[in-house]
Amino acid sequence: MTLLENLEQRYEEDPDGLAENLCNLLAALAASEAPAGWNWLTEAARELAGEFPSVRSLRRECRMTGEGSLVLAGRCRIPELTGEADAFSDEDDASASGTAHRDGRPVPLQPHLPGVEAFARRHAVGCGLPDPLVEAVARAGLLHDVGKADSRFQSLLRGGSPWWVSDLDLLAKFPHMPKTRAARRRARESAGYPEGGRHELLSVRLAESVPAILPRDEDLRDLVLHLVASHHGQCRPFAPVVNDEAAPQVAFELRGYRLRWSGPTGLERLNSGIADRYWRLTRRYGWWGLAYLEALLRLADWRRSEWEEAHDAEG
């Protein structure tokens, strides 16, 4: 009998037996050698088996979520797998920027931006979007990380070190980012970067500083700014509160334009336009339509990051 066979009936009539089967499965997975690319499964099974060592403890946490679906959620954070950086973490600016070339080379910001733009355009074209939407998604890809030009963010990428030279040295990702929460906190404090800081909020303000770099059409301009703001899951509809009164002036050269912003972004304010823009776009594209457009940019960012891990990031 497989674990999922007659799952709903067994969950109701013999929960202890079902929990015992799951305990045995976790133990077997934890002790097995995972196929290539599946190390996470062995690691997750090992963590869950340690957190729920008995049938009774496991039974309390099992939940049916629908016919044929059983969920067991652990409280432990799975340690980083050796050699398998989490390229898709949105937890904070540090963890979202800690992957780079597999040989340990950093990823410069200047080639990363058009690289994401190209992937975003390819995805949008492949999904059959009309040309104006294709170009809006692509433009969001070009602008999504310009907020990383903040000198404090560049210091954070380097573990809190202030020793970086000029705009030519701006990075999108750095391979030696601190791995633990405590180390990231120390690096952030050393860099002077605000707690809870989000580079995408500064990206929005920098993009707004040069109207010519945004679409002329008001609806498309709204879409570009929202996609930039939300590409790590924020601003749906509210921006996080970031206390950053000491924010410096930031300037960035892009496609012949000089983007500038000075001071805190203030996007957490109810009158900042972030929430209003989200609701306008939701009414225009629908709940799922807007999420679909957001996904095109997020996937483009991920795919470019994957490509950068395996290739020369200048390409």
Side-chain angles (χ1 to χ4, degrees):
M1 175 181 292
T2 65
L3 179 66
L4 298 181
E5 188 176 342
N6 300 321
L7 181 61
E8 190 170 0
Q9 179 181 351
R10 295 170 63 206
Y11 183 80
E12 295 294 334
E13 297 178 1
D14 186 21
D16 285 340
L18 180 60
E20 183 177 2
N21 291 156
L22 184 52
C23 272
N24 293 336
L25 176 59
L26 288 175
L29 287 173
S32 66
E33 183 175 348
W38 287 79
N39 289 15
W40 62 268
L41 182 60
T42 301
E43 190 69 21
R46 187 176 298 120
E47 290 287 347
L48 290 171
E51 188 170 341
F52 306 111
S54 69
V55 169
R56 184 175 180 181
S57 64
L58 189 146
R59 175 186 169 183
R60 287 197 302 266
E61 298 301 326
C62 280
R63 297 289 184 272
M64 287 285 300
T65 61
E67 186 175 353
S69 300
L70 184 69
V71 171
L72 176 63
R75 297 179 180 85
C76 295
R77 190 178 168 85
I78 296 178
E80 183 179 4
L81 300 179
T82 302
E84 296 182 13
D86 181 5
F88 309 139
S89 173
D90 294 334
E91 180 184 351
D92 55 33
D93 265 350
S95 59
S97 305
T99 58
H101 193 278
R102 64 178 57 174
D103 293 335
R105 297 197 298 270
V107 175
L109 182 58
Q110 284 287 2
H112 176 71
L113 297 175
V116 174
E117 177 189 30
F119 271 95
R121 180 177 286 108
R122 188 183 311 167
H123 290 172
V125 169
C127 290
L129 297 186
D131 289 345
L133 278 182
V134 169
E135 292 309 310
V137 173
R139 183 49 52 106
L142 179 67
L143 295 168
H144 77 293
D145 271 356
V146 293
K148 289 184 176 182
D150 185 333
S151 60
R152 301 168 304 166
F153 183 85
Q154 292 297 309
S155 176
L156 173 64
L157 283 179
R158 295 160 171 83
S161 170
W163 299 108
W164 60 283
V165 181
S166 69
D167 288 357
L168 298 177
D169 299 313
L170 293 176
L171 300 179
K173 298 178 185 292
F174 192 65
H176 305 302
M177 285 292 298
K179 302 302 183 184
T180 67
R181 288 179 183 272
R184 288 200 295 268
R185 176 181 55 78
R186 289 193 296 269
R188 178 184 61 75
E189 291 174 351
S190 178
Y193 198 64
E195 183 175 5
R198 303 294 319 188
H199 67 272
E200 59 268 36
L201 302 184
L202 180 56
S203 295
V204 170
R205 286 306 197 192
L206 287 169
E208 289 176 331
S209 73
V210 181
I213 207 169
L214 296 168
R216 292 184 179 180
D217 179 85
E218 184 176 350
D219 290 331
L220 294 177
R221 185 167 62 250
D222 268 356
L223 178 60
V224 170
L225 292 172
H226 172 73
L227 293 181
V228 170
S230 65
H231 80 271
H232 283 302
Q234 307 291 334
C235 303
R236 309 188 77 254
F238 301 116
V241 176
V242 181
N243 295 316
D244 193 18
E245 296 306 317
Q249 177 173 297
V250 178
F252 185 68
E253 296 283 347
L254 183 67
R255 297 275 171 88
Y257 297 104
R258 188 160 181 82
L259 287 59
R260 294 178 181 270
W261 184 257
S262 182
T265 67
L267 291 179
E268 74 280 358
R269 297 176 61 90
L270 292 179
N271 64 354
S272 70
I274 285 285
D276 291 338
R277 183 158 53 226
Y278 171 79
W279 292 117
R280 284 197 301 271
L281 291 168
T282 298
R283 287 190 292 270
R284 181 171 181 79
Y285 297 107
W287 294 104
W288 300 113
L290 183 57
Y292 186 88
L293 294 170
E294 292 170 8
L296 293 179
L297 175 58
R298 296 190 75 177
L299 288 171
D301 195 14
W302 294 354
R303 296 291 84 82
R304 174 66 186 187
S305 294
E306 282 185 339
W307 186 92
E308 288 163 344
E309 288 183 45
H311 300 80
D312 183 351
E314 297 285 352

